[in-house]
Amino acid sequence: MTAGETMADVRDMYMAHRMFRREFRLLPQLVRDVQPGDVERAGVVAAHADKICAVLDAHHSGEDALVWPRLLERGGADCADIVPVMESQHEGLHEALESLTAALAAWRTAAQDGEQLAAKAELLRDRLVEHMQLEETEILPLAEKYITAAEWSELGEHAMTGIPKKDLPLGFGMAMYEGDPAVIKAVLAEAPLPLRLLMPVVAPRLYAAHARRVHGTPTPPRIGV
C-alpha cells in the first residue's frame, strides 16, 4: 500500500451479505417442508444448500487469506482487538458449516431426520448473522482505510476460485437479486466485455429458474439487511 492509492470500495460486501442473509434464513424451513422419505425434493434442497455453503466457505477463506493479515499488519490498535474476534467467529462458522454439509450428505439420500438438519442450519444461520453484523459495523470501515481497491478485488477473485465455474453465473444471480444496480455495475466493470454484457441478462434468469425449483417462486422473500 502506497500513499495516494485508491482504497477499497466495500459495497460489494454488503451485496454478498444480503444474499447470505436471505438464503441461510430461508434454508431451515426449506428442510422442514420436505416430507420424510421424499428423496427427490430432499435432493433439490440439499443441492441448493451445498451451493450456498460452498459460496460461503470460499468467501470466508478469502477473508482469512487476504483481509485479516493485512488489517493486522497495517491497522495497529484499530485492528488488534477486532480481527481476532473475526478469526474466532470464522472458526465457529467453519465448524457449523462442516456439521451441516456432513448431515446433508445422509439426508439427501433418505430424507429422514430433517429436524436435526434444520437445527444445524439454524445454528449456522445464527452465527453467520451475528458475524456479518459485526463485520459491517467494525471491519468494513477498517477495510476502507487500510486495504487498497486492487487488494479488495483479489478477494472476489479468490472466492471465484473456490466455486465451480458452472455455478458462477448462478452465484452472481443470487447476489444480484437484492443488489444495488450501481454496485452491480461497479463489480462488472472489472470483468471482460463478454461477461459485462451477458451477466446482467443471464445471471438473473438463472437465479429465477433456480429459485422456482428451490423456493417455489422466482421471487423469494427479499430479506435484505
Side-chain angles (χ1 to χ4, degrees):
M1 188 174 71
T2 59
E5 280 193 81
T6 302
M7 303 309 289
D9 178 354
V10 301
R11 293 177 299 165
D12 59 338
M13 187 68 78
Y14 291 100
M15 184 168 73
H17 282 185
R18 289 188 193 102
M19 174 190 69
F20 290 136
R21 283 187 172 96
R22 180 183 69 248
E23 299 300 339
F24 282 102
R25 282 180 175 171
L26 294 174
L27 182 58
Q29 193 59 48
L30 285 174
V31 172
R32 290 191 172 100
D33 287 343
V34 176
Q35 295 300 309
D38 188 350
V39 294
E40 182 177 357
R41 177 59 183 166
V44 171
V45 173
H48 168 70
D50 280 337
K51 288 181 190 300
I52 60 175
C53 286
V55 174
L56 179 62
D57 187 53
H59 175 77
H60 281 171
S61 69
E63 291 178 334
D64 291 338
L66 301 171
V67 176
W68 312 147
R70 284 167 173 154
L71 290 180
L72 286 173
E73 177 187 354
R74 300 167 184 173
D78 285 351
C79 303
D81 292 332
I82 189 60
V83 170
V85 174
M86 294 289 105
E87 292 174 323
S88 176
Q89 288 185 341
H90 269 200
E91 290 175 5
L93 282 162
H94 186 68
E95 290 172 1
L97 192 60
E98 284 194 325
S99 177
L100 175 61
T101 53
L104 278 168
W107 180 73
R108 74 193 307 159
T109 61
Q112 300 294 337
D113 300 319
E115 185 56 39
Q116 292 182 26
L117 182 65
K120 291 179 184 293
E122 286 177 336
L123 175 63
L124 175 60
R125 176 203 64 197
D126 292 347
R127 289 183 181 181
L128 180 60
V129 169
E130 178 186 16
H131 172 72
M132 291 188 298
Q133 182 60 51
L134 187 59
E135 186 170 271
E136 289 169 0
T137 303
E138 301 291 339
I139 291 293
L140 295 187
L142 295 172
E144 291 175 316
K145 184 176 180 181
Y146 294 114
I147 296 178
T148 69
E151 291 167 343
W152 192 254
S153 353
E154 292 174 10
L155 188 60
E157 294 166 6
H158 184 283
M160 287 191 291
T161 64
I163 304 168
K165 287 185 179 180
K166 64 182 178 60
D167 290 336
L168 288 174
L170 172 60
F172 198 71
M174 284 185 182
M176 287 179 67
Y177 182 65
E178 293 186 72
D180 182 332
V183 178
I184 294 168
K185 184 177 180 180
V187 171
L188 286 173
E190 302 289 328
L193 179 60
L195 289 181
R196 293 204 302 272
L197 296 175
L198 291 174
M199 200 63 75
V201 177
V202 172
R205 290 178 181 174
L206 286 173
Y207 179 62
H210 177 81
R212 186 179 286 109
R213 287 193 304 274
V214 173
H215 299 295
T217 172
T219 55
R222 287 173 165 83
I223 293 178
V225 298

